[in-house]
Amino acid sequence: MNKFLLFLLFLSSFSFSQIKGTVKDKDGNPLPFVNIYIENTYIGTTSNELGKYELNTTEKKNVPLIFQYLGFKTQKHILNITSFPYEFDVTLMEEDFQLKEVLVVNGENPAYEIIRNSIKSKKTNAAKTDKFEADFYSRGIFRAKDIPKKFMGVEIGDLDGNLDSTRSGIIYQSETVSKIKFQKPDNLKEEIIASKIAGDDNGFSYNTALNTNYDFYENYVDLGINMVSPIADNAFNYYKYKLESTFYDDRNQLINKILVTPKRDKEPVFEGYIYIVEDSWAIFGIDIDIKGYRIQQPILENMKLTQNFSYNSESKIWAKNIQALDFQAGIFGMKFTGKFTHVFTNYNFKDAFEKKTFGKEIVTFAENANKKEGSYWEENRPVPLTEEETSNYVKKDSIQTIRKSQVYLDSIDAKENKFNLLKLITGYTYKNSYKNWNFNYQGLTNIGSLSFNTVQGWNLDSGFSFRKWNQETGKFTLISSTFNYGFAEDRLRVNGRFYHRFNNRNNAYISLSGGSAISQFNPNEPISNTINTVATLAFKNNYMKLYNKEFAEINYGREVTNGIFANGKLLYENRSALFNNTDYSMIKTDDLYFSNDPLQPDNYTSVPFENHHVMKASLGTRIRFGQKYISRPDGKLNIQNDDYPVLSFYYEKAFGASNSNYHYDLISGTVDYNKTIGNKGDFGLRFKAGKFFNAENISFVDYKHFNGNQTHVNMMNNSLNAFNLLPYYSHSTNDAYLETHIEHNFKGYIMNKIPLLNKFQWNLIGGFHQLNIPNMKPYQEFTVGFDNIGFGKFRFLRIDYVRSYQNGYQGDGVMFGLKF
């Protein structure tokens, strides 16, 4: 069957190819990603990794075909084609670089003057291509090597047939064809005409023109962090330049080949070559390396970015038509490689676009974009597939046919669904993969849930869950129950939950839950079970304060319109106070645990609130200004606009309580703003404010509680939503409040300039936190610290030094955090 499919692919390729051939060097080695285009047009293609190319054209007579490759002489060939397909092979010769022209003047390499001219001219050159329409082709491929059968005890398998017997193979391959409209700096309108994923005939590729605009005319190139362009306004602060050679292209234009090297290794900088056209000072080509540690991605070893530009003598524009991004990465002995190829053709440069050309919807898919036949791809794919890529499509499509069949899925489920008595203790899962549902029982020994607190002592969970989903529509249903038993308390609590998501376009959902549970006074649960267990058993610091509730809740939410999400909730709670039931610890000490009263730690007899019940209704909304989105057949992907803050508003009303004094109204809001400031790091800000009404005598449970910390450990990476040294309930209020959290992560901006210290690759972070409530002086924290701490590829640690003030100095401490 595979041979037959390969034969069909060969026939379709032969039928639809126009001009085709192979590009090699003088030694017969194939040249990949050669820029091939028809002179004075934006009709072009590139060769694949084996040097093979295909170019579709209807012209036959006097077709001027340009072959351009960095480091090799540009060739022009006039083709007179008698019939299609037309075979034309080319041998490119290495450039005869004019080294004798490279002269040092007044102790300075002439590259510096060329770069100065490029910087002066970049606005002019950039403006020539600031508005255009074009055809766009994207291809992505990822390979894996030396993948273990198990990782940290978890079975990896063959990754849906992607790994061979050597634990290597192509794990992802996809391509798209689209039409784009673009206006600098970031206005995009793209319609994906065709989309293809190996092994997924219903898949829609994520390859789009979005985030492929690596524009070196801008001061910064966004690669996760802002990299300094070699022709940025301040480029001389970061780079050294050397004019290695010059050569003339086919139009007798002088091209300068300039070696770019960093002044300081650890900064967000490139290294490699930039090719500049004499007199116009436009970019002729880019061939640079991106080290993983320079973009703070240590798992990434290296990326190579190449760009080729073609010239149109009629428009006098150098336009990027080929872009390739290769990468190598690795961790734990596993190795990964990949490549993205982008081809821009049929440019139509515009003076202006019509109004409303660009909107919030930036990417759409044409109907049946994922159903294109092989003949379509052979006719419209500008870069021919290699034999490896062709056979991978055939292999993955064949595997998909088998592995999506009911017979195969039922056979796999039958093996994994086998039951034995031991699973009554360890847990059991029953799956129906063909119908997309499963049932799970957590077992009697759910060790992952085991924790300790002074109310329950040792406690752990068990429970059942049922899940059913539809990947195409995003519909998802979960029915679950949790059984929690506290050994010292000798009490079982049971609750259940129903959750249903209607779709993945507006993400409408409804949830219902109810039962009995134990809860922290602060519903944000600032103390995790793990940290509390360690703090309690090892240091006898039982900071977690708990109460019991029997509850019922219904919640509904959805995106009302693009950028605005709203939800409403109705809640009933019957609350009762709890006492400590154990004094067990792992350390030998006569110190007593604090009581379970959050305000009176030495009060072991009375309760922090009287038993009562209450009902609450709440409405909330989140507004993301300028939000853009991708419309996919399988869902809507939102893209936040960092130019604007995110606003959240919340209204809560308590009523129907057993004590009318517990009725109140609460209005609150949040402002979030995050912004990358050039190459100087990431700035973050959060304001939270609120006001209670008619709340003088409400239950302490309903107070506004703030996310404090007394453990000196932060596992949640929530530096803009928590304080570092604030006691958990010392500032709880039933009046007005204002929280301010500000932080700036310099992302190496300062540290990478300091000799010796820059070798650590740490990021300096500064922060400020303030809490204002009535009748108290503001509480303030000033922080300074470092993240990205670790060694080699493992950099998960963050350390902060904190000083707190309230009507004078209060104290200081060191915070330890983990980020993943």
Side-chain angles (χ1 to χ4, degrees), residues 61 79 84 170 233 310 320 349-350 370 373 393 405 412 456 472 491 498 506 525 527 537 544 600 624 626 689 743:
K61 298 296 182 181
L79 305 184
F84 292 119
I170 297 175
D233 293 339
S310 61
K320 177 179 68 179
F349 293 102
K350 312 279 287 187
N370 63 331
E373 300 290 338
Y393 270 131
S405 68
I412 295 299
Q456 296 178 288
E472 292 185 20
R491 182 169 179 176
F498 169 83
N506 61 22
E525 298 187 343
I527 315 170
L537 294 177
M544 182 181 283
Q600 302 178 81
R624 289 178 172 171
E743 182 176 275

Side-chain angles (χ1 to χ4, degrees), residues 128-197:
K128 294 178 180 179
T129 59
D130 66 349
K131 305 178 191 69
F132 64 82
E133 299 174 341
D135 293 337
F136 177 75
Y137 170 78
S138 177
R139 180 149 91 220
I141 186 169
F142 293 85
R143 299 179 179 89
K145 185 178 180 182
D146 300 331
I147 306 300
K149 293 183 178 180
K150 286 187 176 181
F151 182 71
M152 299 182 69
V154 178
E155 190 79 30
I156 294 178
D158 64 0
L159 298 180
D160 294 327
N162 291 318
L163 300 180
D164 58 23
S165 59
T166 67
R167 309 296 297 168
S168 303
I170 297 175
I171 59 176
Y172 179 79
Q173 179 182 337
S174 70
E175 52 189 332
T176 61
V177 173
S178 60
K179 292 186 177 295
I180 61 174
K181 297 178 181 180
F182 183 76
Q183 178 174 297
K184 291 183 180 181
D186 57 3
N187 281 328
L188 174 68
K189 186 71 173 179
E190 177 177 11
E191 182 184 23
I192 294 179
I193 306 300
S195 173
K196 185 177 180 68
I197 300 178

Side-chain angles (χ1 to χ4, degrees), residues 95-97 245-249 253-255 257 275 284:
E95 190 62 64
D96 182 17
F97 297 118
S245 59
T246 61
F247 59 91
Y248 290 91
D249 70 357
Q253 296 180 101
L254 180 64
I255 311 299
K257 179 183 180 182
Y275 296 77
F284 174 85

Side-chain angles (χ1 to χ4, degrees), residues 460-613:
L460 79 168
D461 295 339
S462 185
F464 302 91
S465 65
F466 172 82
R467 293 176 173 85
K468 184 172 178 60
W469 62 93
N470 185 315
Q471 291 181 337
E472 292 185 20
T473 64
K475 188 179 293 185
F476 174 81
T477 301
L478 168 67
I479 303 173
S480 64
S481 64
T482 300
F483 297 79
N484 174 264
Y485 182 74
F487 289 90
E489 193 183 20
D490 190 21
R491 182 169 179 176
L492 176 68
R493 294 178 174 86
V494 181
N495 62 73
R497 181 177 183 235
F498 169 83
Y499 174 87
H500 180 75
R501 184 177 68 186
F502 294 92
N503 59 68
N504 55 7
R505 294 191 176 278
N506 61 22
N507 289 311
Y509 73 90
I510 187 170
S511 68
L512 297 92
S513 57
S516 59
I518 194 166
S519 178
Q520 295 185 44
F521 281 80
N522 185 344
N524 294 324
E525 298 187 343
I527 315 170
S528 71
N529 287 333
T530 300
I531 292 177
N532 182 71
T533 299
V534 174
T536 303
L537 294 177
F539 303 100
K540 229 168 184 183
N541 291 324
N542 59 321
Y543 295 121
M544 182 181 283
K545 306 304 175 188
L546 302 162
Y547 72 95
N548 185 78
K549 64 181 181 182
E550 282 83 34
F551 71 99
E553 176 184 311
I554 181 170
N555 198 331
Y556 176 80
R558 60 163 291 175
E559 187 178 47
V560 180
T561 187
N562 181 55
I564 300 179
F565 189 90
N567 70 293
K569 181 170 68 175
L570 183 64
L571 169 68
Y572 167 83
E573 283 190 357
N574 184 25
R575 303 154 169 173
S576 56
L578 299 170
F579 293 91
N580 289 344
N581 289 290
T582 180
D583 59 359
Y584 171 78
S585 74
M586 299 177 67
I587 60 172
K588 301 298 182 181
T589 176
D590 294 330
D591 294 339
L592 295 176
Y593 281 121
F594 293 128
S595 74
N596 190 48
D597 188 327
L599 294 179
Q600 302 178 81
D602 297 320
N603 175 21
Y604 297 92
T605 56
S606 61
V607 294
F609 64 88
E610 298 294 332
N611 295 353
H612 66 279
H613 64 256

Side-chain angles (χ1 to χ4, degrees), residues 319-335:
K320 177 179 68 179
N321 56 349
I322 305 297
Q323 179 172 277
L325 187 65
D326 295 75
F327 73 86
Q328 301 86 41
I331 191 171
F332 296 118
M334 298 179 285
K335 299 177 182 177

